[in-house]
Amino acid sequence: MIPVRYSIAAITPTLCALFGVRNPSACTEIAIPEILSFGNRKLRGKLLEKCLIFAPDAIGEHLLSVNPLLFSRLNQLADRQIPMLSVVPSFTPVCFASMFTGADPDIHGIRKYEKPVVQIETLFDVLAEAGKRVAIVSVQDSSIATIFQQRDLDYYPTENDLQVIIRSETLIKAGKHDLILSYQQEYDDELHHSDPYSQAAVQASNNHLEAFLRLHRCVRRAWQKYHHLILFSPDHGAHYDALLGRGMHGTDRPEDIEITHFYTLKKARWKLWQK
Ligand SMILES: [Zn+2]
């Protein structure tokens, strides 16, 4: 059976439902039914309190052929894995704008590789409206560090991917934020430099896995008393472009748009006895 694939824009209504806040005004997607029913069962009708979103650039299912262990490790960790589809054109700012507005590129307005500030409401805005604190940790000048500026949230631009992990760990332990979005880019950098299946690229994908494992451990320790979600959610995949002689993405071919997102949802420890 061919698995149902949801648009990456479905992340926003899914998180809104779990947090118990309204959808952003231009959101056109609906929440992912499997995650909602799982969330309801797992949290016994209670709302999500904290969330870490780890978004490594370009870690698509195309990597399954050269790095199957990455996916089996993620699968072991996660409670649910959900097949997703990027939006087209499958470029990072287009994809992240859809992921965090719940809307298609025609609605949020980023339709090519460009980084204007998103003008419509985002997940971050409706969370802020509900009194929740949001942090975005990403390498400075990256898409994610740029297109969500001018909002009521805390920005932590960093010099490199390693600083993203270190800063994210500090924020997770401090416990002041309800949603932390951590973005890394080494694999995407490498695939454009060599190709998506090169040894250096595969190593970069493993570095993202290590970073995720580190943040996963940190959250599981630091957020025990909260109902929490850890989400592994890349933006798009990539393919080898024979004309360019290196990796690329942006098209609607399967390697560029087929990705899997992984959800780990945990009930607060000290609340486990509660009805
Ligand atoms: Zn790229």
Side-chain angles (χ1 to χ4, degrees), residues 236-252:
H236 56 70
H239 66 271
Y240 176 71
D241 186 317
L243 278 178
L244 293 172
R246 55 189 176 81
M248 203 8 130
H249 52 88
T251 75
D252 63 354

Side-chain angles (χ1 to χ4, degrees), residues 57-58 91-92 188-189 191-192 236 249:
D57 203 314
F91 292 116
T92 300
D188 186 72
D189 288 346
L191 78 89
H192 289 293
H236 56 70
H249 52 88

